[in-house]
Structures are given as C-alpha cells and as structure tokens.
Amino acid sequence: MVELSRRSAAALGAVLALAGESSAFVAPDSRSLVSASPAAASSSTRLRVIGEQASSIGPAQVLRNLKESLPQVPWLAEGHAPASNKVDIPDHVASVLALPDAPKREAESDERTERIRSRARQAAEDALELKGMLVGEDDEQAWWRTQRSVPAGGRPVTADDPLTVLVAGGGLAGLVVAAACHSKGMKA
C-alpha cells in the first residue's frame, strides 16, 4: 500500500512538473495583461487563455517545405486556358446525345410529376394482380421449380437444353444479370 501511494505521488509530481513547463496554453496573470501588446491581447480568449501554434514535424510539413522550395515560373500562370479545357461533355458523348432517339432531359413540372406517380401506382396495381407473373399450374411447372437429375460430372449443354441460371434477388442488378445470361444463350 505504501509503495502504491509513493508511485502515485511520483506520478502526480511528474505531471505537475510537466504542466509547469507547458507553454501551449497559458493563463496570463494580471501583470502580463496590463503590459501585453494589443496583438497579444486580441489573441487571448474569453477564458484568458493564450494559444500557440503547434509545430508540425510530420509528412505534411515536409510537403509544405517542398512546395515552398520549388521554383515559381510566372509565365505558367499567364494567358488563358484552351477552350477544350472548358468543355463539360467530350465530343464522342455529345455526338451520341445529339442523336434524335437519345434521351432528352425534361424539366420538372406538375404534369411530369403526375405522370411518374401514375406509372408507380400502375406498377403497384400490376404487382398486386400478379400481372406478368406465373400463377397457379404454370408457376408449379416452371423450370426453376422442377428437380433435375444431373449425372456425375455434369450434363451436356445444348441449344435445346441450355445452361440454366437462377438469378436471386431483384432490382436493376438482377435485370442486368438476367439480360446478360439471355444474351449468351442461357435460360435465366
């Protein structure tokens, strides 16, 4: 117990000694406020704490020093940039967007908002009615529900019996994957 209290006292003494040497945040006494210059008085806070800028010795300071030591070439900053640097859309993209069947942006309007909302309502109604979905016996006999017996080592993949892929999940990614599989001749 005595040893622990000695250690605590030593640690407390070390902290107090270091705190006395610290100059990052110093509370000025009344004499220094009276004799302080206007610049020093303006840098103190309401808590009467005067801060010092911390020094940096890390990679950021190395980069700052390197940047400051580089030669400055004034003619690089003169003149005007080429007009091609100011173009937002590259020429090949602009040519595609100029096609007559390219999508055109339509400004927001009440009519456009209503058209989009009605499409969403119609899609929700179609989903409730299972429009475009397999129902009943068709669903029970769908290819993805029938068990296949595959011999050891796999089965031959032919045009009549293509590779089958079940895309789990929906959304845009599922549609893209299914379309890619169909384009390669798979049944998805």
Side-chain angles (χ1 to χ4, degrees):
M1 189 73 162
V2 173
E3 184 178 327
L4 183 60
S5 64
R6 285 182 187 169
R7 281 186 186 168
S8 298
L12 182 60
V15 168
L16 290 174
L18 288 174
E21 294 176 10
S22 174
S23 63
F25 292 103
V26 179
D29 60 356
S30 60
R31 285 173 284 146
S32 65
L33 282 178
V34 171
S35 63
S37 68
S42 66
S43 68
S44 65
T45 63
R46 286 185 182 197
L47 298 175
R48 299 165 63 156
V49 175
I50 298 175
E52 260 180 39
Q53 176 64 40
S55 62
S56 174
I57 57 171
Q61 186 62 42
V62 171
L63 289 174
R64 272 189 228 103
N65 293 343
L66 179 65
K67 190 175 171 184
E68 289 173 3
S69 66
L70 287 174
Q72 299 299 312
V73 184
W75 58 266
L76 283 175
E78 294 174 357
H80 299 285
S84 61
N85 286 359
K86 307 285 185 196
V87 176
D88 291 332
I89 301 175
D91 292 337
H92 65 282
V93 174
S95 64
V96 170
L97 292 176
L99 295 173
D101 58 340
K104 303 285 187 237
R105 188 177 187 317
E106 186 180 339
E108 294 289 328
S109 67
D110 292 337
E111 183 271 329
R112 180 176 182 270
T113 303
E114 184 52 39
R115 191 173 68 239
I116 292 169
R117 287 181 180 161
S118 67
R119 277 198 326 237
R121 277 192 298 272
Q122 186 61 48
E125 290 169 9
D126 290 349
L128 283 174
E129 294 173 10
L130 299 176
K131 232 184 216 181
M133 308 286 277
L134 292 179
V135 220
E137 190 177 322
D138 289 337
D139 183 47
E140 292 169 9
Q141 295 174 354
W143 67 265
W144 60 84
R145 295 197 185 277
T146 57
Q147 285 287 345
R148 292 188 88 159
S149 60
V150 179
R155 67 173 177 84
V157 176
T158 63
D160 296 333
D161 191 14
L163 184 64
T164 54
V165 177
L166 180 62
V167 178
L172 186 59
L175 291 173
V176 169
V177 169
C181 291
H182 280 287
S183 72
K184 294 295 182 182
M186 302 176 202
K187 189 189 292 186

